[in-house]
Amino acid sequence: MSYVPTEDLLKGRVIVVTGAGDGIGRVAARTFAQHGASVVLVGRTRSKLESINDEIKQFGSTSPLIVPVDLARFDDSSSTDLQNGIRDVFGHLDGLLHNASILGPKVPIENYPYQDWQQVFQVNVHAQFLVTQSLLPLLRQSDDASVILTSSGVGRRGRAFWGAYSASKFATESLMEVLADELSSEKNIRVNSLNPGGTRTTMRARAYPEEDPATLPTPEEHMPLYLYLMGPDSRGTTGQKFDVISWNLP
């Protein structure tokens, strides 16, 4: 049975999407807006954010908020600015999709450059922690808030040469479990992880340069699960690890 969301599934909701300029993040931001959400577009490249912003404005009844930020340099000051900006514009927050990640080099641990290791963890884990921490007060003001952390198959089972990316996704899964457990008594916030699997994106092409992208699903094909987890139909579902490829309606 496939999930068919209503057109106004996310009406009135405010949702942050990191990595909103490209790939899955871009499609998710557009899809959330198409279903009524006001979207906060977080990404490194302003021109890409402006492009998806213009795209959303052409069809949507809501206006996105653009937040250009380099997660490789994200710190306490950045997180405070993000929280204040969203509070000033919207006053609350209903959803947070952690989509931004970097791959890092695919080399053996023995040869892995420490600087690259640090950068992957900064973007994939440390910035994710800071963003979550800073936005929790706004999420608590929602009647029905959802946090989605993006995982990977190599975050469930380690694989040779995936180095910091794999380790960072294990950390992402742990962060999800810890946060979900800490918030288990707060019935208005749920926290889950989502593994999109192989998807036709630029990152996937860098990781598998010999692969034919036409054999992979597009980000658009994954959106039913993203909508389910971000919308009210998943209320009460928390601390779970979802895989797009094996997902079925509960």
Side-chain angles (χ1 to χ4, degrees):
M1 179 179 178
S2 61
Y3 178 66
V4 182
T6 60
E7 288 187 8
D8 62 349
L9 180 77
L10 305 176
K11 185 177 181 180
R13 297 185 183 226
V14 179
I15 300 172
V16 169
V17 179
T18 70
D22 284 305
I24 293 175
R26 184 183 184 95
V27 173
R30 183 175 63 229
T31 302
F32 294 159
Q34 286 173 328
H35 287 270
S38 296
V39 184
V40 181
L41 306 171
V42 177
R44 183 176 59 182
T45 308
R46 177 180 285 274
S47 60
K48 292 181 179 180
L49 299 181
E50 290 175 344
S51 174
I52 185 62
N53 175 65
D54 293 342
E55 206 174 306
I56 289 172
K57 282 184 173 179
Q58 286 180 0
F59 65 77
S61 58
T62 61
S63 294
L65 174 65
I66 292 178
V67 183
V69 63
D70 185 357
L71 295 180
R73 295 176 174 82
F74 202 82
D75 55 19
D76 282 334
S77 176
S78 308
S79 62
T80 299
D81 291 343
L82 177 63
Q83 182 195 81
N84 290 340
I86 295 172
R87 178 185 287 114
D88 291 346
V89 176
F90 298 110
H92 73 285
L93 187 64
D94 305 288
L96 171 57
L97 170 59
H98 284 292
N99 170 76
S101 292
I102 59 173
L103 182 64
K106 287 185 67 182
V107 297
I109 292 294
E110 183 178 14
N111 302 325
Y112 209 102
Y114 180 52
Q115 185 175 0
D116 290 327
W117 186 279
Q118 287 180 305
Q119 185 178 47
V120 170
F121 265 78
Q122 165 61 26
V123 173
N124 296 6
V125 182
H126 302 156
Q128 184 171 245
F129 155 74
L130 285 170
V131 169
T132 304
Q133 186 181 62
S134 68
L135 296 182
L136 274 174
L138 296 177
L139 289 164
R140 282 195 168 98
Q141 296 178 32
S142 171
D143 293 331
D144 179 35
S146 175
V147 179
I148 303 172
L149 294 88
T150 301
S151 185
S152 168
V154 295
R156 309 276 175 79
R157 182 186 177 97
R159 196 180 308 159
F161 311 121
W162 282 84
Y165 183 81
S166 177
S168 73
K169 291 302 179 179
F170 272 91
T172 292
E173 293 283 17
S174 178
L175 176 60
M176 180 278 289
E177 292 181 351
V178 170
L179 186 61
D181 199 39
E182 289 178 352
L183 299 176
S184 60
S185 64
E186 301 184 38
K187 303 305 181 184
N188 61 318
I189 306 178
R190 57 192 175 279
V191 186
N192 297 285
S193 68
L194 190 164
N195 169 26
T199 309
R200 202 180 306 173
T201 63
T202 301
M203 179 184 284
R204 178 74 180 192
R206 286 199 298 267
Y208 295 93
E210 304 303 320
E211 186 176 57
D212 179 3
T215 63
L216 300 172
T218 64
E220 285 82 358
E221 293 176 71
H222 297 337
M223 287 304 109
L225 178 52
Y226 282 79
L227 287 167
Y228 171 76
L229 289 176
M230 196 58 77
D233 293 326
S234 61
R235 186 162 192 160
T237 301
T238 193
Q240 301 301 306
K241 300 178 180 182
F242 287 84
D243 292 275
V244 166
I245 194 170
S246 61
W247 178 63
N248 291 302
L249 279 173

